[in-house]
Structures are given as structure tokens and as C-alpha cells.
Amino acid sequence: MLATTPQGLRRLRSFGLVGTAALVLSLSAVAPAIASPTTDECVEDIVSTVCLPGGEALTLGASAADLPGVDEIRSSPNLKLIANKPKAGSSATGTNSDIAFQGKYAFSGNYNGFTIYDISNPRDPVEVSIVSCPGSQNDVSVYGDLLFLSTDSPRSDDSCASTGSSATVKESWEGMKIFDISDKRNPRYIKSVETKCGSHTHTLVPGSRGNVYIYVSSYSPSDTFPDCQPPHDLISIIKVPTRTPDQAALISTPVLFPDGGNPTGNYSRTTSGCHDLTAYPLKKLMAGACMGDGILVDIADPENPRVINRVRDTVNFAFWHSATFNQTGTKVVFTDELGGGTGAHCTEADGPTKGANGIYDIVGRGDSRQLVFKSYYKIPRINGPTENCVAHNGSIVPVIFGDIMVQAWYQGGISVFDFTNSSNPREIAWFERGPLSDTSLVTGGAWSSYWYNGYIYSNDIAKGLDVLQMNDWRVLTAKFNRVHELNVQTQPSYWGW
């Protein structure tokens, strides 16, 4: 929540937002009080202790009788859909995935390639180019004139004309592709780098002397996969000279879990690699969601990342999926992608802590920093049995004070929540469509939902690119913020803090 202290008022004035300060002070006086949830059960693990919130504050807020019909749009009054751009061209039959941003452009990943949109008018996104380059999941990021694309399915070769293959075939290819996007209408494929177990996701870490590093996350090894052998307790690091990207090369595969990580035999999935890493370069920190473990990593030396703390939740987290820092780098929101994103897990049966977020405070200094569990957050609405729904990709909303996040929940829609009080997160806005089908579970919904330069952009698996506008005093200061480039897994310091 925005600060209303004298110190906060002075900070608002320092940004030239005196009127905003007055509005914040007046509205905070009428803001409703929210009861805090209790904690009534703690489970001690060999890595950490997790307390399970209980009490009526976490009761799900809608009944099955209130479920929307097929494709029926519902939202809170303060969050409105202002544009939808259906998938087109070669991407029309593919699954939409992640999004990156640069200037007036959005780069939409898709299992069949990627699409570049001109979003100079957020109410009318315009396709600039559609690149056909099949390979799941085509996680995308941009840096200057370069675009990076993850391939996490075995292909016959590294070209964009490749066909599907098998990971049991040594000659199959998976890894990173690099494109020149200096001409947005004609992106040019320039380089590939093969990595162990492919590249499910990747994270850009800026370096020095004109270099950028790509941290590649991959998992699911097998004795039958020549290029993906167990144990796979590592990430891959690619070094890219930005002026000569054709010289990009794999430089190391640091092992993050020398003890093997979380073993089999409990609720959580075995740690065998990482699913997603989020770097906060200004803080020289990275948070990793690594299937069975959550980690905090020192990246002061980007070629030699060091794990400084690890947490585990064997009661409520099945699959540590992604991580998001708050803007001061003092908290991490981890997500649990229970069921891999294909199951209906926003039901009464799953309750408020399965397939949810885990909110952790970072306490201590230096190598003594630790992740301390504070609470869970899950959307407070029941979804139907035909809607795949679970926590997924989101980003910080860059308000000057407080902690607000927007997040995709597949067919659970989009949720904006305030976690300024780490122990009492609460939703402040939401948007959702009804199911794609009311008779069978068809995978769809919001894959990634991110705040960029005053609007929320969301890549819907089936429906295409959505643009939403939030009108709420709590996000007013975020609308003054502008960044030139945004890869959410490379978290910027929006206000230079």
C-alpha cells in the first residue's frame, strides 16, 4: 500500500507527485480495515519451517453456482479489458507463452514462434511481424537488437524449419536461439546454442564489457536421454557478446544442488534442475524456483552464481515454478504450478493453499540472508472442473511505495494483489473469462500477465494478446513509471532503490 507517513509524503513530493500525495492521504482515510489471517499449524522440514494459515480470512469467496458461462467475461470494476488481438498466421494454432517488451513493441512467445506487436496505441495493438520457428515453449526475452528464444522440445535440427524428434535420439537439438531484431519487420535468426535438457525458460543477466549472460533453466532428465542425463541439478550459462552475438557460447553448467536437492517420496516434485530464475541485477540477487526447492542466489559474479539460502515446502508446494522480487528486493513471491498448468486446481477440493503463491521475506545480510515464509496467496474465487487454474507468471506493479503484483492464473484469469503486509496479502482487482468448454477440460487462459508502462498485457493461451487498464488510486503512481525494456525475469529497479 502507498505510504501515508510524513516521510512517504516527502518522497512523493521528490518525484513531483504532490497532487498524488494528497489523493493518497485522503483515500487512505476511508480504506477498509482487513482482518489478518491466523496461523494454526506449523510443519518443520529439514530445510525450513512452514506455517499453514487458517481461519475464515482464507475461505474461498464464490460458490460453484456463481461460475461464469463459456467465454463470459467478468471483472472487478477497477480492471477493464480494452483490447484483444487474436492469434494469427503461423501462431494461430500454437500455444501463447511469455511476453517481453521494448519501447513501443511487445514480443509474444508462441509454441510456433513469436509475434512482434506495435503497442504504441494500447487500445489497438498492431502485428508488425510473425516469425515461424516451432519448438515449445518459446520463452522470449529481448536485449537491444537481440531476441532470445527458448526451445524445450527435441527437434530434428536447430533451424526454424526443423521437425519434432525424440530426446532419445542423440542428434536431436534443444536449447537457445538468438535473433537480430534491429528490423522489427524482418527478424533474422543468427545463432543457436545447445543446452542440456533444452531450455524451458531463460533469464538475462547483464554483464560488463558488452556481454550479457543467459541463465538457462531445464529439467526432467532420463537415463534414456543422451543429452539430458541424471542427476541434472544444474543450470546452463551462455555468454553473449552483444556486438558479435554469433560468438555466443555455453561457458558453464554450475551445479546448484550438490546434495541432489529435494528427493522423491513426498508432495513436492524432485529437484532435478530449475523451472524459472528471476534476477534482480541492481541487488546482485537471483531467486530460483527449482521444482522441489526455492533458492536465493548471489550473482555478484554472474559467471559464478552462489546459492546462499534454500527453502522447501513439502506440505503445500508441489512444483516450485517461478519467483518475483518486490521492488526493494526484501521479499520473494514463489509460485506453485500444481499439476503443470493443465489441471483444475482452483476448486473447493484444492482449497486456498494448493497451487498458490508462497510469500517469503528476505531477512539478514550478505551470505546470512534467509527466506522466511510469511503466507500463501491464492485467487479467492472458485473455478469449475473444466478450467485449468493454478498460480502462474506475473510481475510487480511499480507503485512508489508498497508491494503490488499482477499475476496470470490460466483460466482463473488475472489477479492484482497487495502484499505490502507479507502475512496478509489481499486481492484488489481481477479479470476472468468463463471456461473454453463447460463439458471438458480444454487448456487455456492467461499464461503471462505483466504491467508495462501503465497497462497490463496478458498472453492468453487460446485468445491471444489482451490489454487491460486498471483505474485505482492504489496503482496511480505506477502510471508515472516508464521503462524502455522489460524482461520480467530480469527485474528492474523501477525507482532506482
Side-chain angles (χ1 to χ4, degrees), residues 288-327:
C290 300
M291 304 172 67
D293 290 279
I295 55 175
L296 192 63
V297 185
D298 183 306
I299 56 170
D301 179 355
E303 295 190 10
N304 296 285
R306 296 186 303 109
V307 176
I308 56 178
N309 190 232
R310 181 174 63 175
V311 288
R312 188 176 297 165
D313 181 345
T314 61
V315 176
N316 278 301
F317 261 48
F319 190 96
W320 294 71
H321 171 275
S322 56
T324 302
F325 288 98
N326 69 335
Q327 61 182 330

Side-chain angles (χ1 to χ4, degrees), residues 81-165:
L81 181 71
I82 62 171
N84 170 259
K85 193 72 175 179
K87 297 181 295 183
S90 58
S91 293
T93 59
T95 295
N96 266 354
S97 58
D98 214 352
I99 323 172
F101 304 91
Q102 186 182 83
K104 66 177 185 178
Y105 298 103
F107 303 81
S108 167
N110 179 284
Y111 276 42
N112 284 342
F114 63 91
T115 300
I116 302 178
Y117 293 98
D118 183 329
I119 55 171
S120 53
N121 179 2
R123 295 180 180 274
D124 185 24
V126 176
E127 291 158 1
V128 176
S129 58
I130 301 174
V131 176
S132 175
C133 197
S136 68
Q137 59 184 16
N138 277 346
D139 187 33
V140 63
S141 59
V142 292
Y143 189 88
D145 287 336
L146 301 177
L147 180 144
F148 302 93
L149 198 67
S150 285
T151 300
D152 191 37
S153 57
R155 310 296 298 177
S156 56
D157 56 53
D158 65 351
S159 75
C160 285
S162 66
T163 57
S165 184

Side-chain angles (χ1 to χ4, degrees), residues 1-5 12 20-33 426 473-474:
M1 183 177 294
L2 294 169
T4 57
T5 62
L12 288 168
T20 300
L23 177 63
V24 168
L25 287 170
S26 63
L27 289 177
S28 65
V30 297
R426 55 193 180 91
W473 68 272
R474 288 165 290 196

Side-chain angles (χ1 to χ4, degrees), residues 32-319:
I34 303 295
S36 298
T38 60
T39 55
D40 56 12
E41 182 182 358
C42 292
V43 178
E44 188 170 352
D45 185 73
I46 60 170
V47 177
S48 63
T49 298
V50 172
C51 296
L52 310 180
E56 294 182 356
L58 288 176
T59 300
L60 295 173
S63 69
D66 297 325
L67 294 176
V70 172
D71 284 343
E72 179 185 351
I73 289 179
R74 295 185 182 180
S75 70
S76 57
N78 57 352
L79 186 61
K80 296 296 183 184
L81 181 71
I82 62 171
N84 170 259
K85 193 72 175 179
K87 297 181 295 183
S90 58
S91 293
T93 59
T95 295
N96 266 354
S97 58
D98 214 352
I99 323 172
F101 304 91
Q102 186 182 83
K104 66 177 185 178
Y105 298 103
F107 303 81
S108 167
N110 179 284
Y111 276 42
N112 284 342
F114 63 91
T115 300
I116 302 178
Y117 293 98
D118 183 329
I119 55 171
S120 53
N121 179 2
R123 295 180 180 274
D124 185 24
V126 176
E127 291 158 1
V128 176
S129 58
I130 301 174
V131 176
S132 175
C133 197
S136 68
Q137 59 184 16
N138 277 346
D139 187 33
V140 63
S141 59
V142 292
Y143 189 88
D145 287 336
L146 301 177
L147 180 144
F148 302 93
L149 198 67
S150 285
T151 300
D152 191 37
S153 57
R155 310 296 298 177
S156 56
D157 56 53
D158 65 351
S159 75
C160 285
S162 66
T163 57
S165 184
S166 169
T168 61
V169 177
K170 174 64 178 173
E171 291 73 23
S172 293
W173 183 91
E174 298 178 74
M176 290 299 309
K177 294 172 179 148
I178 305 174
F179 291 78
D180 183 322
I181 54 168
S182 54
D183 181 353
K184 302 296 187 293
R185 295 187 178 278
N186 297 286
R188 182 171 58 89
Y189 180 24
I190 55 176
K191 175 70 175 180
S192 73
V193 179
E194 188 170 14
T195 55
K196 293 181 178 180
C197 300
S199 174
H200 193 71
T201 64
H202 67 271
T203 302
L204 297 186
V205 178
S208 58
R209 299 179 182 178
N211 296 309
V212 63
Y213 297 93
I214 306 173
Y215 285 19
V216 175
S217 297
S218 56
Y219 57 92
S220 292
S222 170
D223 290 329
T224 65
F225 299 163
D227 297 322
C228 186
Q229 291 282 299
H232 184 74
D233 301 315
L234 53 83
I235 60 172
S236 298
I237 300 180
I238 297 170
K239 186 175 183 178
V240 184
T242 56
R243 293 184 179 179
T244 53
D246 58 323
Q247 296 179 19
L250 181 70
I251 61 168
S252 65
T253 54
V255 174
L256 302 183
F257 302 95
D259 65 350
N262 198 356
T264 59
N266 53 41
Y267 183 69
S268 297
R269 186 162 173 174
T270 304
T271 301
S272 57
C274 291
H275 181 280
D276 216 332
L277 306 167
T278 294
Y280 199 152
L282 183 69
K283 305 291 184 180
K284 295 181 172 53
L285 274 180
M286 184 169 70
C290 300
M291 304 172 67
D293 290 279
I295 55 175
L296 192 63
V297 185
D298 183 306
I299 56 170
D301 179 355
E303 295 190 10
N304 296 285
R306 296 186 303 109
V307 176
I308 56 178
N309 190 232
R310 181 174 63 175
V311 288
R312 188 176 297 165
D313 181 345
T314 61
V315 176
N316 278 301
F317 261 48
F319 190 96

